């Protein structure tokens, strides 16, 4: 499939990233989630390989910037 072996990187403000992590933990979402400090001050990058979860984050935070990397 064309959506396999992709890494979705979403740039969010710290408070938005905190809300995503809280929701991820409360719902027991079964997907990978990695957080890292962004170069943009006051922002966090959320990385996941789950296209559905990345799409949900994009729906909840439409202003976030998205980068998609091939893992091949």
């Amino acid at each position: 499939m064309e959506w396999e072996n992709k890494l979705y990187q979403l740039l969010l403000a710290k408070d938005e990233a905190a809300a995503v992590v809280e929701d991820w933990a409360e719902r027991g979402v079964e997907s990978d989630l990695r957080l890292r400090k962004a170069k943009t001050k006051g922002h966090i990058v959320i990385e996941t390989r789950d296209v559905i979860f990345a799409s949900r984050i994009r729906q909840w935070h439409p202003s976030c910037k998205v980068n998609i990397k091939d893992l091949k």
Side-chain angles (χ1 to χ4, degrees), residues 1 5 19 23 25 35 43 57 59 67 72:
M1 292 184 114
N5 296 319
D23 186 62
L35 304 171
H43 288 73
I57 295 170
Q59 289 173 352
N67 183 41
K72 290 184 178 182

Side-chain angles (χ1 to χ4, degrees), residues 2-70:
E2 69 180 74
W3 298 108
E4 292 180 0
N5 296 319
K6 304 271 186 192
L7 179 66
Y8 302 93
Q9 299 174 316
L10 300 106
L11 178 69
L12 295 163
K14 284 184 181 181
D15 58 334
E16 292 176 335
V20 169
V21 171
E22 186 177 319
D23 186 62
W24 177 79
E26 285 178 359
R27 291 182 187 221
V29 176
E30 293 186 21
S31 67
D32 62 325
L33 191 71
R34 181 178 171 198
L35 304 171
R36 64 180 177 81
K37 186 177 177 181
K39 291 179 182 178
T40 306
K41 187 175 182 177
H43 288 73
I44 300 288
V45 175
I46 295 179
E47 297 179 335
T48 184
R49 288 178 288 175
D50 186 342
V51 66
I52 306 256
F53 190 57
S55 175
R56 287 183 186 159
I57 295 170
R58 181 77 172 117
Q59 289 173 352
W60 298 329
H61 306 283
S63 63
C64 75
K65 295 187 180 186
V66 180
N67 183 41
I68 302 172
K69 288 189 173 184
D70 286 323

